[in-house]
Amino acid sequence: MTIGKIKLDGFLTGMVLAIILAALFPGPGAEGGVLQPELLTKLGIALVFFLNGALLSFAALRDGIMRWRLHLIIQGTTFVLFPLIGLALLAVAGRWITPDLRIGLFYLCALPSTISSSVAMTAAARGNVPVALFNASLSSPLGILITPLWMSLLLQTSGQTLDVWSIFIDLTCWLVLPLVAGQIARPLIGAWLQRHRKWAQFADRGTIILLVYTSFCDSFAKNIWSGNSPITLGLTIAATLGLFFLVLLLLWKLCDRFGIAPAFRSAIVFCGTKKSLASGVPMAHLIFAGNPGLGLILLPIMIYHPLQLMICTPLANRWAKETQDAEMPAEA
């Protein structure tokens, strides 16, 4: 856990530094800048999903496939419950926040779950890892289809348009095909990547940090942040915290209502409450390509990401201790 925390801190620190760098030097990463962000971001997205495909072992998912009721709960929470809560949130509080932030809050709700942290938290809580692994892995490809559809629905209701078919083509070219290519290349490079997982993770997270930098460069270059006060940041933090705890409470009550075993409860809670920054940043570059407010759109998921980890880590430790205490009489 200590090593994991160090890596996590480095990742979050890198994102904060990327935002500061974008504020000080927005030119290189802005549209038309020397870094050529229009091409660089797409190549970075392809690299992230290629590495994920090469490291993802579908053989490890077999034990979790047959528990379809659990899968329905988790995927239903990720792609139905979350967006419905997001729509309700915008209906109640939407008039107090800017249009880009409205899009960002709903985009957070429409995103798929994480893979690595969902599985890691379930394992730390001594929960059912195959169920968590299956659902976390299933969430990303489903998100490629479902997230743009939800965003299209939101924008249509607000009088805006989203070219869904062009987005699907872009997502297929830069997300799906690299993911498939990674799976095809897995027999050749999978073992090597596992042995050098630290460097693969460094490349993956480094690319995401670069995408965060280019995301905020356009926003700073075009003064998108000039009309947003610290109150905007405070409202975003409050909204993301409220969203997380509401879904956590609903899943907790659901598990109690149906008597779901603790091992499966942890998989449901940790997969169902998580939202993926690793998928969210690359997908946003394709879905909202050319939008100067991309930095504001990404703000909710960038706040939600560390919050979900800070809250879930002590929860996983608590559940692990409860499981250990419950097993002690049987071992005596």
Side-chain angles (χ1 to χ4, degrees):
M1 292 299 295
T2 303
I3 295 175
K5 287 181 181 178
I6 293 172
K7 289 180 179 177
L8 173 63
D9 290 344
F11 184 43
L12 295 176
T13 301
M15 289 195 297
V16 172
L17 291 176
I19 296 171
I20 295 172
L21 193 63
L24 296 175
F25 307 103
E31 183 179 1
V34 295
L35 290 179
Q36 296 296 313
E38 297 84 357
L39 176 62
L40 182 66
T41 55
K42 290 185 175 180
L43 293 176
I45 291 165
L47 175 63
V48 168
F49 279 83
F50 176 81
L51 291 174
N52 276 277
L55 288 166
L56 185 60
S57 173
F58 282 98
L61 309 180
R62 291 172 186 163
D63 291 340
I65 288 175
M66 299 308 294
R67 301 189 181 274
W68 60 271
R69 291 181 181 85
L70 300 180
H71 308 330
L72 284 178
I73 293 174
I74 294 171
Q75 301 305 328
T77 300
T78 300
F79 293 116
V80 180
L81 178 62
F82 253 110
L84 291 178
I85 293 174
L87 289 174
L89 176 64
L90 294 185
V92 173
R95 62 181 179 273
W96 288 306
I97 55 180
T98 64
D100 287 329
L101 198 53
R102 281 172 54 89
I103 294 173
L105 283 170
F106 188 75
Y107 181 62
L108 164 64
C109 295
L111 281 173
S113 182
T114 62
I115 295 180
S116 57
S117 62
S118 294
V119 176
M121 293 295 178
T122 303
R126 303 182 69 173
N128 190 289
V129 172
V131 168
L133 184 57
F134 176 81
N135 279 280
S137 302
L138 178 63
S139 187
S140 290
L142 285 178
I144 293 173
L145 295 173
I146 298 174
T147 301
L149 291 176
W150 270 118
M151 296 313 302
S152 176
L153 176 64
L154 174 73
L155 293 176
Q156 284 177 6
T157 58
S158 61
Q160 303 178 60
T161 59
L162 194 67
D163 190 346
V164 177
W165 290 112
S166 295
I167 289 170
F168 279 152
I169 292 171
D170 254 4
L171 291 174
T172 300
C173 291
W174 299 103
L175 273 69
V176 178
L177 291 181
L179 191 69
V180 173
Q183 273 290 291
I184 294 172
R186 180 177 168 78
L188 299 175
I189 64 173
W192 185 88
L193 284 174
Q194 288 291 348
R195 290 196 303 271
H196 300 85
R197 196 177 183 95
K198 180 176 71 173
W199 294 107
Q201 186 181 61
F202 178 80
D204 178 84
R205 292 186 169 185
T207 302
I208 293 171
I209 290 171
L210 177 62
L211 294 177
V212 168
Y213 168 71
T214 59
S215 300
F216 278 80
C217 280
D218 256 353
S219 299
F220 283 114
K222 297 179 181 178
N223 294 319
I224 297 298
W225 296 90
S226 60
N228 293 280
S229 66
I231 296 176
T232 300
L233 180 62
L235 287 173
T236 307
I237 294 173
T240 52
L241 267 174
L243 184 66
F244 178 88
F245 280 112
L246 176 58
V247 175
L248 176 66
L249 179 62
L250 290 174
L251 287 177
W252 201 309
K253 293 296 184 182
L254 184 67
C255 291
D256 285 344
R257 173 68 178 81
F258 291 101
I260 294 174
F264 298 124
R265 175 194 62 183
S266 58
I268 289 172
V269 168
F270 291 135
C271 291
T273 57
K274 295 292 184 63
K275 289 294 180 177
S276 176
L277 177 71
S279 294
V281 173
M283 288 176 66
H285 275 267
L286 299 178
I287 295 174
F288 309 108
N291 188 330
L294 185 57
L296 264 178
I297 292 172
L298 286 173
L299 183 62
I301 180 58
M302 293 184 65
I303 292 174
Y304 191 91
H305 175 77
L307 287 178
Q308 67 185 0
L309 296 172
M310 287 188 292
I311 296 167
C312 286
T313 298
L315 187 59
N317 293 334
R318 173 185 165 185
W319 283 351
K321 187 177 185 304
E322 289 176 357
T323 302
Q324 184 178 17
D325 292 344
E327 291 174 351
M328 285 181 64
E331 294 173 357

